[in-house]
Amino acid sequence: MAKKTVRFAAVGDLHCTKDSAGSLKGLFAQAAEAADALLLCGDLTDYGLPEEAHVLASELANAKVPVVAVLGNHDFESGKPEEVCRILTEAGVRILDGEACEIHGVGIAGAKGFAGGYGRGALGPWGEGAIKQFVNEALQEALKLEHALAKLRTPRRIALLHYSPIIATVQGEPVEIYPFLGTSRLEEPLIRYPVDAVFHGHAHRGAPEGKTVNGVPVYNVAKPLLQRTYTDRPAFRVFEVPAETARE
Ligand SMILES: [Fe+2]
Ligand SMILES: [Fe+2]
């Protein structure tokens, strides 16, 4: 019997530490109950330590659904993002870094993203080499997202990021740090390759919902934000995609 919808549970910023053992498995079990797949929007670990990744991997053993993730800035802190990736990949997590995958006929494109600011306030590649390098990092991440989106042939698509592609979902954070929470350079690929929804994290004190300029819903699913905003529900957001149209 074909499913009528594909349900995705999304959460970011788990910030798993060595002491997190036992504290996330309940959440993952609930997510697996509520959805057909789990999407993790970066900052999977707190300091990017292999030990933290091992704790997360064992907590995820309770999520009996496919798990797709992107890394966040915290996963880079110890200079071992490849090891974090390897540990989670071996535990069955599909980590997207400019790649795409398909879950029950729905396409998922993922990249970490980067900072740089929004609209006319976005930092430009001008002046010192360090500034150009910083802006180039954001451009490379936007390109990764674009390549991932371009690969997808599914009629239904979801984009997964850590940094925010729009300013609306960082609102609530101190305005001085907006440029470090994401960049509208990440919105450009989403205009060229529209998706059904975008999920991101990173802005723990941001806003839960916004839209791209072309009307695509953007959800900030940073766990601390979800916990504070929706006190009556588990800390993940469920998004349903009609499955009939997910088939070609
Ligand atoms: Fe975070
Ligand atoms: Fe972050």
Side-chain angles (χ1 to χ4, degrees):
M1 181 81 173
K3 280 177 179 293
K4 285 204 168 60
T5 60
V6 184
R7 299 161 305 163
F8 293 91
V11 59
D13 302 271
L14 298 165
H15 289 267
C16 188
T17 68
K18 285 172 264 182
D19 300 326
S20 298
S23 68
L24 290 167
K25 57 172 76 160
L27 181 71
F28 295 144
Q30 282 177 299
E33 197 61 19
D36 303 296
L38 176 59
L39 308 176
L40 301 177
C41 294
D43 285 356
L44 310 173
T45 62
D46 206 24
Y47 280 84
L49 294 167
E51 301 92 296
E52 296 174 336
H54 280 298
V55 171
L56 180 59
S58 83
E59 295 292 292
L60 278 169
N62 293 277
K64 305 281 183 213
V65 290
V67 183
V68 183
V70 294
L71 296 186
N73 55 318
H74 277 247
D75 303 309
F76 283 73
E77 172 56 20
S78 299
K80 297 177 177 174
E82 293 88 2
E83 210 174 328
V84 168
C85 249
R86 182 185 54 76
I87 293 161
L88 293 171
T89 303
E90 282 172 9
V93 179
R94 179 73 204 263
I95 298 193
L96 303 176
D97 175 25
E99 289 111 14
C101 68
E102 251 183 68
I103 302 279
H104 302 304
V106 179
I108 319 279
K112 174 178 61 65
F114 198 62
Y118 298 94
R120 292 179 63 190
L123 188 63
W126 203 91
E128 299 95 318
I131 296 281
K132 289 175 181 165
Q133 221 178 324
F134 185 93
V135 174
N136 188 49
E137 186 71 19
L139 290 169
Q140 290 308 315
E141 287 292 322
L143 259 181
K144 280 185 186 178
L145 177 63
E146 177 147 350
H147 286 155
L149 288 165
K151 276 181 215 151
L152 288 172
R153 294 288 173 267
T154 53
R156 296 285 175 165
R157 294 177 293 275
I158 286 174
L160 216 56
L161 288 163
H162 181 58
Y163 287 84
S164 176
I166 62 166
I167 200 166
T169 48
V170 306
Q171 271 158 5
E173 294 274 3
V175 74
E176 295 85 349
I177 67 165
Y178 283 8
F180 310 120
L181 298 172
T183 176
S184 41
R185 293 185 194 280
L186 298 168
E187 188 181 24
E188 291 160 19
L190 298 165
I191 296 167
R192 281 191 285 277
Y193 297 93
V195 295
D196 291 90
V198 182
F199 295 96
H200 73 85
H202 192 52
H204 293 199
R205 285 164 293 178
E209 296 181 19
K211 274 187 191 321
T212 61
V213 291
N214 53 333
V216 170
V218 176
Y219 300 108
N220 178 352
V221 293
K223 185 165 165 271
L225 173 65
L226 294 182
Q227 280 170 325
R228 223 175 27 250
T229 313
Y230 307 109
T231 50
D232 57 333
R233 320 177 197 164
F236 52 80
R237 179 158 203 137
V238 177
F239 183 77
E240 284 193 41
V241 178
E244 295 93 331
T245 46
R247 264 185 204 92
E248 283 184 285

